[in-house]
Amino acid sequence: MPVDRSLHIIPNDSPVCQLDAENAFKTLSEKERKYAHYVAKASFDGALAVFLQVSPESAPIFYVLYRLFKAETVEQLKEKALAVGFSEDEWQALLIYAAAFYSNSGNYKGFGDSKIVPAVDQNNIISVQKKIRALIEKSAAGSDEKVLKTWESVEKLIGSLEDKELQLGFGDKGVTCYHSSNITKADAEKIDRFFKARNVESWNSRLFKEVGADGKTTYTIKLASSDEGVVAEAVEFEGDVVQIVKGDYAPVMKRTHEWLDKAVPFAANKNQEEMLKKYIEHFKNGDINAHKDGSRYWIKDAGPAVESYIGFIENYRDPAGTRSEFEGFVAAVNKETSKKFLTLVSRAEEILKRLPWGPDYEKDTFLKPDFTALDVIAFGSSGIPAGINIPNYDDIRQNEGFKNVSLGNVISAQPKQKMNFLDEHDEELMFKFHKDSFEVQVGLHELLGHGSGKLFQKNVDGSFNFDNTKVKDILTGEPVSFQFRSGIATWYEPGETWSSKFGPLASAYEECRAEAVGYVLCCDSDILEIFGYTGELAQDVKYVNWLSEIRAGLMALEFYQADQKKWGQAHCYARYVLTKVVLEAGKEFVKIEETKGEDGKADLHFKLDRNLIDSVGRPAVVEFLRKLQAYKSTGDFEGGKKLFESYGAVGETELHWRDVCIARRKPRRLFVQPNTVILKLEDFSNIFIPEVSLVTYPSDASGVIKSFVERYDSAAIEDLHACWKNDQKWF
């Protein structure tokens, strides 16, 4: 089947939204601004590692684009592009490609995991290569032999869409740099067993495999750190050799901890100072326990004016579901909006009792987290979420606590686009209340979704964190210990985590559970009142939340990989599953009808009956949520997988809906972020005083490009290039 290239092209009319942090930045003192500046620099420099995690060609493409746009202005390059045969549309397509490439930290979508290619003469791959090469050769950057050689190494890949290049995945079916290209799913599972046997975690690691002339396989686990060397001598494991070394992304990690070191003098308190020192230790030596200790100080730092987090955090994009992408952010607290979330936190213990699993399946003590509304100043990663619940370490979350953040300037940065599949009245309500409903959903999703539920764990000493003689399975009514005697795993053994137990399914499953909590609890009027919504206004916000989220499950079909019968994006998979749950509830609560649009082409009409939310929609989601929690708490991967995949199945009807969703899809927004810079101002004594300023950029593709070019110095890009060269033997 020929590939639909349009699925891999970023449209020229893609909206670019300003991540507005100006007002938030103005509220900070000079000391706080310096702290924010250095952590932002660490976040952005560290995020160069993401280009090395995504695909073998992402780092060299970054290098070439950076050199191209660093040497000349966009206007100068446009003149040369037109001279070598670009049309106006093709030039705009190249700018959009570059902006999307930067925003996604590579040439695979941060949301969707599919490859991005430029729409330059899109019907002829060879022509794509020739036109871009001609531009590079004519540009000022083209006089550098290193730029030309780097381009030669990737030019065949930039527009190519071979079967194995379409999506991220293990090397036999997709693309990834979390593992060498010869690593299979079976290899990854073997090394997961190795980690479990040694009670260690793989968050900041990559996995490489070599087969010697004697047929002996050696696995090398490489930890991200600036220090290089052997962590653990090679050992035999299941007939193969496994060794652990450190020094992955070494130059990038060095830059990261050096920036953090500069932030230490401007820390607001002892917790921040100790947190930074532990992060510095982690990025130096690769020890995940140092990052855990830093996270412990972080959760103690309640209500800071400047919030931040940095490390290898989310494992959405690792095909094995255990290794994590680098992420770093810094943001200013919105004190007024934060009051709502703090009220929600203060009532959380009472609200948690409304969830459908009872006290045995809830944490023994709810560790009240810090929950703040933030305006992002800098976010280095493959995408910017609307809310975060971290840290992701199960032992800390279960026993010590966590934090929640809602990213206000991300939520509010919404382009006004036609809302597909809705009638005029619903579309009007969505435009009017989407921000309000989304703020409610994010709050409930992060605090009471990700923050709820207990994992039944067996400790190293043989004890349990629950009463294994009395606790019953909420689905069967049988004691948990009885089920274990029947050969069914009903807890997490030492060395097992949620991510290692549920693997690639863990992210979508957990996002679905958190989303479901938001759907259920937004129906309660007293919870809506916390956010300032009462009466008819509250009912509108509740309706728009259900309308928006369930419709999102339909729209998620765009991200289903029909050829592989596979979901590639955790949030999309999660929302689709919940849409199937409420469709199954029947009684015409949700209707999806096939129609013809005004253009005469196939269309869909989506309708949700607001009068049936409480009587049909909510009970269906409550029952499904109960099952999700039961399988998660007891570590029953097979049961959870069977349930989840039964709702995640895509049949002929849904495939037809998918075709319509793709045909009528709207381009996703791109963000242009500001940069912080230190200016030296002269006072009356001829003494230069450093002052931090915020630099903003236009809301267009050129603005995104300029922000990246000004964000990095040439030394950082040379470090990235060196890391890429070092990696080449593995891919």
Side-chain angles (χ1 to χ4, degrees), residues 50-56 58 105-108 168 175-177 317:
V50 182
F51 293 89
L52 298 160
Q53 294 178 308
V54 176
S55 71
S58 285
S105 292
N107 64 331
Y108 284 77
L168 296 180
V175 171
T176 184
C177 288
R317 305 180 86 192

Side-chain angles (χ1 to χ4, degrees), residues 484-523:
F484 179 74
R485 287 197 300 272
S486 301
I488 301 173
T490 52
W491 52 68
Y492 294 78
E493 294 286 344
E496 287 184 332
T497 65
W498 161 246
S499 295
S500 68
K501 189 93 171 178
F502 276 65
L505 185 63
S507 294
Y509 193 106
E510 175 59 12
E511 291 303 328
C512 186
R513 195 184 69 88
E515 285 287 86
V517 168
Y519 296 6
V520 169
L521 294 179
C522 81
C523 295

Side-chain angles (χ1 to χ4, degrees), residues 351-357 440-441 444-445 448 512-528 542 545-546 549-550 578 581-582 613-614 616-626:
I351 295 172
L352 283 170
K353 295 175 183 177
R354 306 179 196 184
L355 296 177
W357 47 72
V440 172
Q441 178 66 16
L444 299 175
H445 173 115
L448 301 167
C512 186
R513 195 184 69 88
E515 285 287 86
V517 168
Y519 296 6
V520 169
L521 294 179
C522 81
C523 295
D524 292 349
S525 58
D526 62 326
I527 290 177
L528 289 169
K542 166 183 159 183
N545 192 46
W546 276 78
E549 296 295 325
I550 302 301
L578 288 170
V581 168
V582 295
I613 292 175
D614 292 325
V616 178
R618 184 179 187 177
V621 174
V622 164
E623 178 57 23
F624 184 69
L625 178 57
R626 189 171 70 92

Side-chain angles (χ1 to χ4, degrees), residues 11 26 36 100 104 123 171 244 318 485 503 506 525 546 583 586 613:
K26 288 176 183 176
N104 289 276
N123 296 318
I244 304 176
D318 171 24
R485 287 197 300 272
S525 58
W546 276 78
L583 280 168
I613 292 175

Side-chain angles (χ1 to χ4, degrees), residues 1-3 7-8 162-164 166-167 173 560-566 655 658:
M1 182 183 296
V3 175
L7 295 177
H8 300 272
E162 298 297 324
D163 287 347
K164 288 185 181 180
L166 299 178
Q167 298 283 342
K173 293 182 179 179
Y560 177 70
Q561 301 165 27
D563 55 336
Q564 297 185 34
K565 296 184 178 179
K566 173 187 170 186
L655 285 173
R658 176 180 178 271

Side-chain angles (χ1 to χ4, degrees), residues 190-254:
K190 177 183 286 189
I191 299 306
D192 283 346
R193 294 193 294 273
F194 173 83
F195 277 117
K196 177 185 172 183
R198 282 152 180 77
N199 198 22
V200 294
E201 298 169 64
S202 58
W203 300 92
N204 63 328
S205 71
R206 290 197 292 171
L207 178 62
F208 305 99
K209 181 172 77 171
E210 290 180 285
V211 180
D214 59 356
K216 193 78 170 178
T217 297
T218 298
Y219 295 98
T220 299
I221 298 164
K222 201 168 185 182
L223 305 180
S225 68
S226 62
D227 293 348
E228 300 183 61
V230 175
V231 175
E233 296 294 341
V235 296
E236 290 275 341
F237 183 78
E238 296 185 6
D240 297 315
V241 176
V242 182
Q243 62 180 350
I244 304 176
V245 302
K246 58 185 176 181
D248 210 5
Y249 331 111
V252 173
M253 293 299 98
K254 185 173 186 290

Side-chain angles (χ1 to χ4, degrees), residues 113-144:
D113 295 346
S114 59
K115 189 174 182 179
I116 305 168
V117 297
V120 178
D121 204 344
Q122 58 176 295
N123 296 318
N124 188 332
I125 298 174
I126 301 299
S127 181
V128 173
Q129 298 168 12
K130 285 182 177 179
K131 284 187 176 180
I132 298 177
R133 169 175 275 279
L135 172 60
I136 293 170
E137 289 176 342
K138 193 175 181 64
S139 72
S143 61
D144 187 335

